[in-house]
């Protein structure tokens, strides 16, 4: 039996999503750009999906562009916006972004612009004073994630976006972990100009995502080609993926009120269980505003890969921020930015739940976890 | 995820020789700044300098834990010199292989062993030097029987003394106590019967 608690890595495609996609992997194979009515039928499904994604984030359908996923959306948003400025323009982003954003900042020199990273405090919250100081440098674009993939910490992007606008900058947010888990209202959050969505984080398949581009925002095309997506993102429509993302958005938008609190209850159950049953454990950013599905725990004195291995042997899937792979084990940049030392961050495990997670699964994971941590502590030189 | 052999997984899930040894002959604490891994290792060395017992603790990945466990099995009963000759390759082979990216994780176990053997040797040599120096320039209160005695060899916890004359037990005890004072460890002097 598998207990899947790694939903921030990817989620199970919802059964309804799979069902919705199937015709487009079969009879409905036509090219959505084709003139004939066979093509038009597929195009209608694509446009329905666009409307559904737009509805989930309270945007206009024409502001939603389909991409291959979160990484492409981030790359297009940032590179596409920075390309509209001369060399030496400034990108402001945070130290805890997903690599899809952070690596662009690292490569900014060769891309012809400059970048500055806003630090976070020990709770994983953006340092607002440092943010204001960065804005004084008149950036062209600000990119601050909506919710962190490792800690679940939510940035107040509405306010951050307003501040960016006051400084004359465009504002992008990587909302890959947030969309479908917490409400996103782009009608209310008018400061957000660009927003990245990834399908497979919200029970759609891999290989599909979207970028919200607010009407009037000028973006360099990302893919040149056959003029799809109004010439901004060419490439034959991935109709099965698009329809899947549309259905996933529809499902997320129609979740009952109690879905959020149910997830929060399960997460709390897991956190309390960890703290009570695994001595020497701590929850990262526990006091901060976080996604309801995400928790990162530190099990002091126990190395994370060993913990993951023991969990895996009992069918529990979780993840760690670091990977001892090519000879150097880089501690998680997120935990490091929060001031957590490498010994503790090498003991961190992330559990991420989904709306399909059950209380029984959480309890089973806790049983396995308690045994694994106790066993590894007996081997550890630190306890 | 890593593809680990069954034997490696067995040593990870059921590590051998975990813990510490009270009054160990050799002790080491090593760490890999590269990985943040850390390890302690204790050795018990017998009179013939064979590894009588070895215990370890490791903070590290499955490969690091399994390598340390395997190493303890490989060196138990071996002469300390031979134990130092064990190569990382042999540890990996003993475990039925490991991913190349994980070779570096097995290095820490060898470092810990080398360092613990060095700790034993340092204590042994320190004791031997202290004993030889004591007999070379004997204090006024030295028992007469020890004036003609010589040190034949040493261990971290005891020295062997030989003499043409008879060596009474209280005289050996005197030497042991004096050497304990000099080294700051509880050591004893033994009659070399060979």
């Amino acid at each position: 039996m598998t207990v899947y608690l790694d939903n921030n890595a990817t989620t199970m495609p919802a059964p309804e999503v799979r069902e919705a996609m199937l015709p487009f992997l079969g009879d409905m194979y036509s090219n959505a750009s084709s003139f004939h009515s066979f093509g038009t039928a597929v195009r209608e499904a694509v446009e329905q999906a666009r409307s559904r994604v737009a509805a989930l984030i309270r945007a206009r359908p024409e502001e939603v562009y389909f991409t291959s996923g979160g990484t492409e959306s981030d790359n297009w948003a940032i590179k596409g916006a920075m390309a509209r400025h001369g060399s030496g323009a400034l990108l402001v982003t945070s130290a805890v972004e997903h690599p899809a954003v952070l690596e662009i900042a690292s490569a900014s020199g060769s891309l012809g612009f400059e970048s500055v990273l806003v630090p976070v405090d020990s709770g994983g919250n953006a340092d607002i004073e440092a943010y204001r100081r960065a804005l004084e440098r008149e950036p062209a674009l600000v990119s601050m994630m909506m919710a962190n993939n490792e800690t679940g910490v939510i940035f107040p992007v509405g306010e951050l976006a307003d501040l960016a606008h006051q400084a004359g900058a465009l504002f992008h947010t990587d909302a890959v972990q947030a969309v479908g888990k917490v409400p996103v209202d782009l009608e209310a959050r008018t400061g957000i100009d660009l927003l990245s969505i990834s399908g497979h984080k919200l029970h759609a398949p891999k290989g599909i995502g979207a970028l919200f581009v607010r009407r009037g925002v000028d973006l360099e095309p990302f893919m040149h080609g056959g003029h799809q997506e109004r010439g901004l993102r060419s490439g034959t429509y991935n109709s099965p993926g698009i329809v899947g993302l549309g259905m996933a958005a529809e499902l997320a938008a129609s979740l009952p009120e109690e879905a959020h609190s149910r997830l929060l209850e399960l997460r709390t159950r897991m956190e309390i269980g960890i703290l009570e049953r695994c001595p020497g454990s701590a929850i990262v950013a526990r006091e901060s505003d976080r996604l309801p599905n995400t928790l990162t725990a530190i099990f002091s004195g126990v190395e994370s890969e060993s913990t993951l291995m023991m969990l895996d042997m009992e069918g529990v899937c979780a993840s760690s921020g670091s990977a001892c792979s090519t000879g150097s084990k880089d501690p998680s940049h997120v935990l490091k930015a929060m001031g957590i030392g490498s010994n503790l961050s090498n003991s961190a495990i992330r559990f991420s739940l989904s709306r399909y997670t059950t209380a029984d699964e959480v309890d089973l994971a806790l049983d396995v976890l308690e045994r694994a941590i106790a066993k590894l502590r007996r081997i550890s030189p630190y306890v | 995820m890593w593809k680990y052999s069954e034997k490696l997984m067995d040593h990870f899930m059921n590590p051998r020789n975990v813990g510490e040894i009270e009054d160990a002959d050799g002790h080491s604490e090593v760490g890999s700044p590269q990985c943040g891994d850390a390890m302690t290792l204790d050795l018990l060395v017998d009179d013939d300098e064979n590894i009588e017992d070895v215990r370890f603790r490791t903070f590290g990945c499955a490969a690091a834990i399994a390598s340390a466990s395997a190493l303890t099995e490989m060196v138990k009963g071996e002469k300390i010199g031979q134990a130092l000759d064990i190569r990382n390759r042999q540890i990996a082979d003993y475990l039925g292989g490991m991913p190349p990216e994980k070779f570096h994780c097995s290095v820490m176990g060898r470092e810990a062993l080398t360092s613990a053997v060095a700790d034993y040797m340092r204590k042994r040599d320190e004791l031997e030097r202290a004993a030889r120096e004591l007999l070379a320039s004997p204090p006024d209160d030295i028992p007469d029987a020890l004036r003609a005695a010589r040190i034949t060899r040493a261990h971290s916890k005891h020295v062997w003394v030989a003499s043409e004359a008879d060596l009474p037990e209280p005289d050996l005890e005197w030497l042991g106590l004096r050497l304990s004072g000099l080294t700051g460890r509880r050591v004893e002097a033994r009659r070399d019967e060979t």
Side-chain angles (χ1 to χ4, degrees), chain A residues 305-306 325 329 375 378-379, chain B residues 13 35 57-58 60 102:
Chain A
E305 193 196 299
S306 286
S325 50
K329 184 161 51 187
K375 190 165 182 173
R378 284 195 292 273
I379 308 174
Chain B
M13 293 303 285
C35 287
R57 289 190 183 280
T58 290
K102 284 286 174 182

Side-chain angles (χ1 to χ4, degrees), chain A residues 94-233:
Chain A
S94 86
V96 296
E97 296 295 312
H98 186 275
V101 171
L102 215 47
E103 290 296 315
I104 300 173
S106 298
S108 57
S110 60
L111 292 167
F113 55 89
E114 290 176 26
S115 61
V116 60
L117 301 185
V118 175
V120 295
D121 63 17
S122 60
N125 302 296
D127 179 339
I128 296 299
E129 280 317 302
Y131 182 69
R132 285 179 188 276
R133 281 196 301 278
L135 292 181
E136 283 170 13
R137 293 174 58 185
E138 297 182 348
L141 176 71
V142 173
S143 180
M144 300 285 280
M145 71 202 315
M146 192 170 282
N148 188 271
N149 47 308
E150 290 187 35
T151 60
V153 171
I154 295 171
F155 280 171
V157 284
E159 288 83 50
L160 296 177
D162 290 344
L163 288 171
H165 274 199
Q166 284 162 26
L170 278 180
F171 189 89
H172 165 252
T173 184
D174 173 353
V176 159
Q177 293 292 349
V179 171
K181 293 172 192 158
V182 289
V184 175
D185 185 348
L186 291 169
E187 216 171 82
R189 298 299 187 190
T190 51
I192 298 173
D193 300 299
L194 300 153
L195 178 144
S196 301
I197 297 174
S198 164
H200 74 103
K201 309 287 194 198
L202 66 140
H203 304 286
K206 288 115 188 111
I208 186 70
L211 180 67
F212 159 82
V213 182
R214 192 175 290 278
R215 200 163 54 165
V217 170
D218 183 27
L219 215 54
E220 180 85 3
F222 192 61
M223 296 281 204
H224 294 85
H227 308 293
Q228 288 86 352
E229 301 293 79
R230 275 164 284 154
L232 289 176
R233 202 284 184 184

Side-chain angles (χ1 to χ4, degrees), chain B residues 86-103:
Chain B
I86 290 175
R87 305 282 87 155
N88 293 323
R89 179 84 244 172
Q90 288 169 272
I91 301 173
D93 288 347
Y94 183 90
L95 288 170
M98 67 173 74
E101 298 92 331
K102 284 286 174 182
F103 271 178

Side-chain angles (χ1 to χ4, degrees), chain B residues 12-101:
Chain B
F12 166 57
M13 293 303 285
N14 310 292
R16 284 49 152 186
N17 306 308
V18 171
E20 47 276 312
I21 296 171
E22 219 174 302
D23 208 16
D25 293 305
H27 171 77
S28 67
E29 292 176 18
V30 297
S32 153
Q34 195 183 31
C35 287
D37 286 1
M39 179 164 172
T40 63
L41 190 136
D42 285 346
L43 284 178
L44 202 61
V45 178
D46 72 10
D47 288 355
D48 298 320
E49 298 203 321
N50 297 310
I51 295 176
E52 191 179 334
D53 199 5
V54 48
R55 302 273 153 175
F56 80 96
R57 289 190 183 280
T58 290
F59 171 89
C61 65
I65 291 172
S67 297
S69 166
L71 182 66
T72 60
E73 288 227 308
M74 291 166 80
V75 301
K76 222 183 220 186
E78 292 290 320
K79 282 256 183 282
I80 54 171
Q82 277 160 0
L84 291 181
D85 287 339
I86 290 175
R87 305 282 87 155
N88 293 323
R89 179 84 244 172
Q90 288 169 272
I91 301 173
D93 288 347
Y94 183 90
L95 288 170
M98 67 173 74
E101 298 92 331

Side-chain angles (χ1 to χ4, degrees), chain A residues 339-358:
Chain A
I340 296 171
S342 62
N343 255 356
L344 286 179
S345 66
N346 282 338
S347 300
I349 303 286
R350 179 188 71 187
F351 299 96
S352 44
L353 287 54
S354 84
R355 59 176 183 260
Y356 296 104
T357 307
T358 65

Side-chain angles (χ1 to χ4, degrees), chain A residues 218-304:
Chain A
D218 183 27
L219 215 54
E220 180 85 3
F222 192 61
M223 296 281 204
H224 294 85
H227 308 293
Q228 288 86 352
E229 301 293 79
R230 275 164 284 154
L232 289 176
R233 202 284 184 184
S234 294
T236 300
Y237 286 104
N238 169 8
S239 40
I242 289 170
V243 168
L245 177 58
M247 179 54 84
E250 171 77 12
L251 292 172
S254 55
L255 282 177
E257 283 276 312
E258 63 269 21
H260 187 276
S261 55
R262 183 188 161 274
L263 202 48
L264 202 54
E265 266 170 42
L266 280 183
R267 203 264 308 266
T268 306
R269 185 189 186 100
M270 181 110 200
E271 287 186 349
I272 290 173
I274 287 172
L275 295 171
E276 284 181 355
R277 294 167 69 174
C278 304
S281 59
I283 308 297
V284 174
R286 198 175 184 208
E287 305 303 323
S288 304
D289 186 20
R290 286 181 293 152
L291 292 174
N293 80 314
T294 308
L295 81 95
T296 287
I298 288 178
F299 302 95
S300 67
V302 178
E303 201 265 348
S304 54

